[in-house]
Amino acid sequence: MRLEGKTAIVTGAGSGFGAGIAKRFLEEGAKVMIADINETNAKAVAHEFGGLAQRVDVANGPSVNDMVDRAIAEFGHVDILVNNAGVTHLPNAMELVSEDDFDRVFAVNCKSVYLTARALVPHFKSRKAGNILNVASTAGVSPRPRLNWYNSSKGWMNTATRAMAVELAPEGIRVNAINPVAGDTPLLPSFLGDDTPEMRAKFLSTIPIGRFSTPEDMANAALYLCSDEASMVTGVCMQVDGGRCI
């Protein structure tokens, strides 16, 4: 029960890594808001594991404000925020990615971090405590061709994590990130472009441990970084990648 008495918001928790993180946090004693743009998925995860389902568009300020306001109203306070919601564009030459796809990637992956900070950091400051975990990607550490603007958005998240950490540390607020390698989640076909056994084998050949990551892998890393065991850890962008970035 490493999060007993804690409360958390996990965005993009209706599937994939977010659902895995929410499940583990609940198992470890936290009260968790399972936030997702797909309300049906959020409710399904909450029904299966517990937690409070909430629809949110993380790229929309009023929607993010409603999420934070409800979490504080239901839980009394918020201890942990996991910015997990993310999207990608299909693999393509950088100059051929549409402007709409570019805007969507940066709105969901980057603007969301600003919007959640704007909504929740004042609450954290008032309590002189808080914990933010940003879910970036190995794409932001070791970029791959044809995912240029997705790579860039995740690199932005890593830089934002460090900038937030150094500014918020005196306020008692820790900010870290995890950099997952691709997992067998709903986003995988978008990364691969052509989800075939051959493409999967090609991708797996770049991961020394030899497998895709799992929601459990991310949940374990998130649990440590968001627990009191990591009370001296801030500004860390942890690679959870089976050695891909070595």
Side-chain angles (χ1 to χ4, degrees), residues 90-173:
L90 291 174
N92 208 345
M94 66 176 70
E95 71 274 18
L96 298 180
V97 174
S98 73
E99 187 173 352
D100 285 345
D101 280 348
F102 176 93
D103 287 344
R104 179 170 175 263
V105 165
F106 274 80
V108 175
N109 295 356
C110 302
K111 186 181 179 182
S112 62
V113 177
Y114 156 73
L115 291 174
T116 55
R118 187 180 68 173
L120 196 52
V121 163
H123 174 72
F124 285 161
K125 285 183 174 180
S126 73
R127 304 184 72 241
K128 297 297 286 186
N131 200 322
I132 299 172
L133 180 69
N134 297 322
V135 179
S137 170
T138 53
V141 179
S142 179
R144 296 173 57 222
R146 298 174 61 80
L147 285 172
N148 191 77
W149 308 118
Y150 172 77
N151 300 335
S152 302
S153 73
K154 292 301 187 176
W156 183 98
M157 288 185 77
N158 283 321
T159 300
T161 295
R162 296 185 182 99
M164 295 167 73
V166 74
E167 179 172 334
L168 296 176
E171 304 286 348
I173 302 164

Side-chain angles (χ1 to χ4, degrees), residues 8-9 30 37 60 67 77 105 129 133 149 172 183 204 213 231 236-237 240:
I9 299 171
I37 196 167
N60 178 274
M67 173 186 72
H77 69 275
V105 165
L133 180 69
W149 308 118
L204 282 173
S213 63
S231 62
V236 164
C237 301
V240 190

Side-chain angles (χ1 to χ4, degrees), residues 206-217:
T206 69
I207 305 173
I209 279 183
R211 66 172 176 85
F212 290 112
S213 63
T214 68
E216 290 74 23
D217 294 324

Side-chain angles (χ1 to χ4, degrees), residues 165-202:
V166 74
E167 179 172 334
L168 296 176
E171 304 286 348
I173 302 164
R174 295 192 298 111
V175 188
N176 293 292
I178 54 176
N179 284 289
V181 74
D184 196 356
T185 71
L187 272 185
L188 183 62
S190 296
F191 291 130
L192 297 178
D194 187 14
D195 190 2
T196 64
E198 293 76 19
M199 285 297 295
R200 287 187 173 227
K202 182 179 178 181

Side-chain angles (χ1 to χ4, degrees), residues 8-135:
I9 299 171
V10 182
T11 69
S15 63
F17 294 154
I21 292 169
K23 175 177 180 287
R24 189 66 194 277
F25 281 16
L26 287 160
E27 291 171 345
E28 294 288 336
K31 296 178 181 178
V32 180
M33 172 173 278
I34 296 163
D36 202 286
I37 196 167
N38 187 321
E39 188 174 13
T40 300
N41 285 1
K43 287 180 175 178
V45 172
H47 177 74
E48 184 173 359
F49 303 121
L52 177 68
Q54 172 73 21
R55 186 191 180 280
V56 64
D57 177 355
V58 295
N60 178 274
S63 183
V64 168
N65 292 341
D66 288 347
M67 173 186 72
V68 170
D69 289 346
R70 186 179 179 215
I72 294 171
E74 294 282 349
F75 298 153
H77 69 275
V78 176
D79 296 299
I80 299 164
L81 166 68
V82 180
N83 284 312
N84 169 76
V87 296
T88 185
H89 55 82
L90 291 174
N92 208 345
M94 66 176 70
E95 71 274 18
L96 298 180
V97 174
S98 73
E99 187 173 352
D100 285 345
D101 280 348
F102 176 93
D103 287 344
R104 179 170 175 263
V105 165
F106 274 80
V108 175
N109 295 356
C110 302
K111 186 181 179 182
S112 62
V113 177
Y114 156 73
L115 291 174
T116 55
R118 187 180 68 173
L120 196 52
V121 163
H123 174 72
F124 285 161
K125 285 183 174 180
S126 73
R127 304 184 72 241
K128 297 297 286 186
N131 200 322
I132 299 172
L133 180 69
N134 297 322
V135 179

